[in-house]
Amino acid sequence: MAQAVLRAADGARVTVDLPEQAGGLEWYGHTRMAGPRLLRAYDLAPAGQHKVIPGKILPGARREVRGRRGYDLVLYEAADRSRSCLVWVGPYHEATTWFGGPAPRPAVLDELTTSVRFRDSRQGATLTPRRTAGPGIRQYGTFVVGMGDRLVVMIRDARAAKDGLPEWRGARLGEAEVWKERLDLDPATRAALAGTPFEWRYVYATGTAAYTVVFPTRPGRDETRGQAAGTAVDTVLTTIRVRWSA
């Protein structure tokens, strides 16, 4: 059994217990901040993800780099100025916020970058509002995503996710309540996965966390049946544990 201890973008501690059958995961996050002078959404990812922006997302984008202590600020602006983004690039992780138009003026960018605090380390990264950003700043909508070849797990604070849980009673599994929801698949894939664990998403809720597990592998019909007959999927579903603490 492996354990990952993460810091959510709002500073919460997220502990995930996974069996070896889950394979390795890369961790991503999302958070939002709102207040009198701040309304922004931010994505967190392993360092290096932003390098695809000028090649695939904003081809030919203008790039500007500003050095800061412990990280760089990288600004991208589309060649036609239709979109832009700002990236906090640390040695281990990065955070990105997008703009639906040209890059903001330097004064606006300075105000934005001084309103949030980005901290990066080998153990994780956090992005939180600074006290100097002013009163009334609220951080919300934070979630964490682990992605691997065998498993995707999406995690939220139980308090924030409770309204999105199914209304009917789920099955009990230890301290968790669990539901199955059929994935939205094309007819051919649905037929290949029918009757196997791969046609479902699995939604868990505990007193501290709500999380969803999906198996992204889409093998052929025979291979699917063989994997479903094994124990790896069942082991993941019955032993995964998540705890979210402030």
Side-chain angles (χ1 to χ4, degrees), residues 187-240:
T189 303
R190 184 181 298 111
L193 299 179
T196 75
F198 302 102
E199 66 173 326
W200 306 92
R201 66 168 58 88
Y202 302 85
V203 181
Y204 296 70
T206 70
T208 65
Y211 49 104
T212 300
V213 174
V214 176
F215 299 96
T217 304
R218 294 290 177 263
R221 184 185 301 270
D222 293 340
E223 188 179 354
T224 297
R225 302 294 174 183
Q227 289 189 14
T231 61
V233 170
D234 287 343
T235 299
V236 171
L237 291 174
T238 56
T239 60
I240 184 172

Side-chain angles (χ1 to χ4, degrees), residues 122-214:
R122 190 182 300 274
Q123 289 72 38
T126 59
L127 190 76
T128 53
R130 291 181 183 271
R131 293 181 180 179
T132 54
I137 299 295
R138 183 171 67 96
Q139 187 164 4
Y140 65 101
T142 299
F143 62 87
V144 176
V145 179
M147 300 184 66
D149 293 336
R150 306 178 192 174
L151 177 73
V152 175
V153 55
M154 295 158 277
I155 308 167
R156 297 185 66 188
D157 181 343
R159 295 167 297 181
K162 63 181 181 180
D163 292 338
L165 294 174
E167 296 181 358
W168 64 92
R169 185 180 298 278
R172 297 301 305 184
L173 180 63
E175 64 177 7
E177 191 170 358
V178 187
W179 298 265
K180 290 198 310 182
E181 296 179 339
R182 189 169 269 110
L183 294 169
D184 185 13
L185 304 170
D186 64 78
T189 303
R190 184 181 298 111
L193 299 179
T196 75
F198 302 102
E199 66 173 326
W200 306 92
R201 66 168 58 88
Y202 302 85
V203 181
Y204 296 70
T206 70
T208 65
Y211 49 104
T212 300
V213 174
V214 176

